[in-house]
């Protein structure tokens, strides 16, 4: 996708006034938060499982080189072909090469955020290979030419009516008078259209939620079964996975799946968890004849071993965005990167550069809900703060913000002056606003008062009030 | 330099390691050679009939249907009855699984059986599961000519037979069984965990059954009653 993160402020403004979007976003709070809370409450060990999940990934990351090598060895032994890609461009070239050797005309795709990250669809289309998204949400947004707005519910920004209009626009071979007023009819129509694509595809490409070093296995997690049809029917299966997806053993994956399903969709377990190891075996009546795994770095090693290390534990459940007040207000597209919400605001500057994504770490109130629900206990607000510090250090913040922080820093380093000036300012504001209790406009605070009133402060500073109380 | 050396080199530089440290290698070798189960929730840790009951309850909670029969001899009639009750044609497709082949199909002369992987036009597929997991009502199936993977996903209705004795409390127990059957560090080409029928909530977060996989999942549990 095209990165539009530099226009974040404008994107967010547009999102706030988009009525379709605002209607669709109501489903995020209702759909995800309640369901997650219910399954979490039903499992007394949930928090202990989060600790265990965090420890598994920490251990793996500390030994990442060795686990990647072990994974490669086991996958190769099972007949798989492992490819390594340093950049998105390398991965695209590898994938195109496999497709060309397979003589592929169409390629079906299971849902994969890494494939969005490396923009594989446009690249394949430019090279004469038709990519077909098969996850219902991904299929819908592919018809619309849009990027996903949520990492596990890519079409969450759309209403049913919009989906109906798109299906009528694109599925012109079907009876124009058909009834599509119910969601079930939309689902049935997509199922029918995509069934033919599944059976015709030459190559199937999926992501991987996990790679298992012990057995050389790739794991996908889906509710629809689209990922399975993508990988079992075509002659060639390509898995695209980033380096941090590797975990040691099948037991470790089981622990992670227990927290993933609950955190993502509020299910005890996702409908289909599929463990794939190598191509079709002698005597197998189905399955791919070739099994390729492309292991991608694309900026992740630059997060390893430094202040962003914890982010590499992320298992892409989406709980952080489901609980984010900023995401609830503007949806995913405003972020302008494939990864959105709090996890996206941490990942995007690392993957696409701080110059591109400097706005995103600022799109947070630091309320901390994301960290409180993260199954991998990633300190997201802390990581966002690290990016803000880097943004400031590199002079990327706007001049007024830098000037304001400079003034504040000067006073903060001179406590007497700070107390005196705040006492004067608060006293004056308190006196001026005594009558109405609020200000409709205030010099230097236009950014605030343009959208809402500023409540008048009490006429005494916090420090003074505390001192009174202590006496 | 190859992509492999570049990526591994970057990982090692970031971690400030060479990859040759004996202590790190030993930690990894040990973890892979002797996989240890992590924290296992209490929920599934039941014995006998209680464990099978939990499996059935959890499967039904995710919209799977459950039929319980006393012995494997009852399976053909249970399948025929299910198809009748749901107005489905008396025709099934199944793989070469010996446990299914050995059932008394003569009891259901009107039931047509087709063999082999699905071509996408079968209405009902029948598989025999390797096992089940009571904790979440999950079926565990594996690929091969016995139970082709396409049968798990292409037919509209999937009927899965599982022996009560093969229902474990947790996933970890099933992994141990797979290691015993296939050998340590060896996996079948595909292992499928299936928990309920296919679904999607991609349109307005409304849950709908039958996205791309089966619209209905019917589990036939053999034995296990108290």
């Amino acid at each position: 996708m095209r990165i539009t993160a530099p226009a974040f402020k404008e994107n967010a403004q547009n999102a706030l006034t988009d009525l379709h979007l605002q209607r669709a976003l109501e489903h995020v709070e209702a759909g995800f938060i309640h369901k997650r809370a219910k399954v979490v409450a039903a499992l007394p060990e949930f928090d202990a499982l989060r600790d265990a999940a965090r420890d598994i990934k920490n251990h793996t990351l500390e030994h990442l080189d060795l686990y990647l090598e072990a994974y490669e060895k086991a996958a190769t032994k099972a007949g798989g072909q492992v490819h390594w890609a340093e950049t998105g461009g390398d991965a695209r070239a590898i994938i195109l090469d496999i497709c060309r050797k397979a003589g592929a005309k169409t390629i079906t795709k299971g849902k994969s955020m890494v494939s969005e990250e490396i923009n594989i669809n446009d690249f394949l289309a430019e090279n004469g290979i038709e990519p077909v998204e098969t996850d219902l949400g991904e299929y819908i947004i592919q018809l619309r030419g849009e990027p996903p707005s949520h990492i596990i519910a890519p079409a969450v920004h759309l209403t049913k009516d919009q989906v109906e209009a798109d299906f009528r626009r694109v599925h012109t071979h079907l009876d124009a008078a058909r009834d599509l007023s119910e969601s079930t009819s939309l689902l049935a129509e997509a199922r029918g259209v995509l069934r033919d694509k599944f059976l015709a595809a030459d190559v199937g490409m999926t992501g991987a939620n996990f790679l298992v070093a012990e057995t050389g296995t790739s794991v996908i997690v889906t509710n629809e079964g689209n990922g399975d049809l993508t990988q079992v029917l075509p002659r060639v299966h390509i898995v695209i996975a980033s380096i941090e997806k590797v975990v040691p053993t099948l037991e470790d994956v089981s622990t992670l799946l227990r927290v993933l399903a609950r955190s993502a969709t509020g299910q005890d377990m996702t409908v289909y968890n599929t463990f794939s190891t190598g191509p079709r075996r002698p005597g197998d009546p189905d399955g791919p004849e070739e099994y390729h795994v492309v292991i991608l770095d694309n900026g992740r090693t630059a997060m390893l071993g430094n202040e962003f290390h914890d982010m590499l534990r992320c298992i892409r459940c989406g709980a952080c965005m489901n609980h984010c007040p900023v995401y609830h207000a503007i949806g995913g597209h405003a972020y302008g990167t494939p990864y959105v919400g709090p996890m996206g605001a941490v990942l995007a500057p690392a993957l696409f550069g701080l110059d591109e994504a400097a706005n995103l770490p600022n799109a947070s109130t630091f309320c901390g809900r994301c960290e409180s629900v993260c199954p991998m206990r990633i300190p997201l607000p802390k990581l966002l703060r690290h990016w803000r510090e880097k943004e400031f250090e590199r002079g990327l913040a706007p001049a007024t913000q830098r000037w304001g922080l400079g003034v504040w820093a000067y006073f903060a380093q001179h406590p007497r002056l700070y107390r005196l000036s705040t006492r004067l300012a608060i006293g004056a504001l308190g006196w001026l606003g005594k009558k109405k209790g609020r200000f409709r406009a205030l010099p230097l605070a236009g950014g605030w008062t343009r959208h809402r009133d500023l409540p008048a402060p009490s006429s005494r500073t916090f420090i003074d009030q505390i001192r009174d109380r202590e006496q | 330099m190859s992509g492999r050396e570049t990526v591994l080199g970057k990982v090692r530089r970031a971690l400030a390691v060479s990859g040759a440290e004996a202590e790190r290698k030993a930690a990894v070798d040990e973890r892979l050679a002797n996989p240890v189960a992590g924290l296992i929730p209490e929920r599934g840790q039941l014995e006998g009939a209680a464990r099978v009951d939990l499996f059935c309850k959890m499967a039904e909670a995710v919209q799977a249907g459950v039929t319980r029969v006393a012995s494997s001899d009852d399976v053909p009639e249970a399948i025929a009855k299910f198809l009748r009750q749901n107005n489905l044609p008396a025709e099934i497709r199944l793989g070469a699984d010996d446990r299914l082949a050995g059932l008394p199909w003569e009891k259901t002369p009107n039931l047509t059986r087709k063999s082999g992987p699905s071509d996408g036009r079968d209405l009902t597929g029948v598989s025999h599961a390797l096992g089940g997991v009571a904790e979440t009502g999950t079926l565990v199936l594996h690929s091969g000519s016995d139970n082709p993977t396409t049968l798990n996903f292409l037919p509209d209705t999937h009927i899965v037979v599982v022996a009560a004795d093969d229902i474990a409390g947790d996933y970890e127990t099933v992994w141990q069984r797979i290691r015993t059957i296939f050998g340590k560090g060896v996996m079948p080409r595909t292992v499928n965990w299936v928990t309920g029928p296919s679904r999607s909530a991609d349109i307005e977060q409304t849950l709908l059954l039958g996205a791309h996989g089966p619209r209905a999942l019917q589990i036939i549990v053999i034995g296990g009653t108290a």
Side-chain angles (χ1 to χ4, degrees), chain B residues 53-114:
Chain B
D53 289 347
L54 176 68
F55 171 82
C56 298
K57 189 183 115 190
M58 295 306 290
E60 283 171 337
V62 290
Q63 292 81 34
V66 178
T67 308
R68 300 190 64 165
V69 295
S71 104
S72 56
D73 288 351
D74 305 325
V75 170
E77 281 166 314
I79 292 173
K81 191 176 164 196
F82 170 80
L83 295 176
R84 246 185 352 260
Q85 283 175 345
N86 289 277
N87 291 322
L88 291 166
E91 185 178 297
I92 56 174
R93 185 180 282 277
L94 65 176
D97 193 291
D98 287 342
R99 292 163 296 186
L100 294 176
L103 297 175
W105 295 105
E106 66 277 5
K107 291 184 175 180
T108 52
N110 294 327
L111 185 64
T112 308
R113 281 172 296 140
K114 290 183 176 175

Side-chain angles (χ1 to χ4, degrees), chain B residues 108-158:
Chain B
T108 52
N110 294 327
L111 185 64
T112 308
R113 281 172 296 140
K114 290 183 176 175
S115 174
S118 177
D119 58 6
R121 285 194 289 272
D122 309 297
L123 283 177
T124 305
V126 176
S127 308
H128 201 295
L130 176 85
V133 178
E135 186 181 328
T136 46
T138 300
L139 291 161
V140 182
L141 300 116
H142 71 88
S143 58
S145 59
D146 292 358
N147 292 287
T149 302
T150 39
L151 288 183
N152 301 346
F153 297 99
L154 283 171
D156 269 21
T157 300
H158 191 203

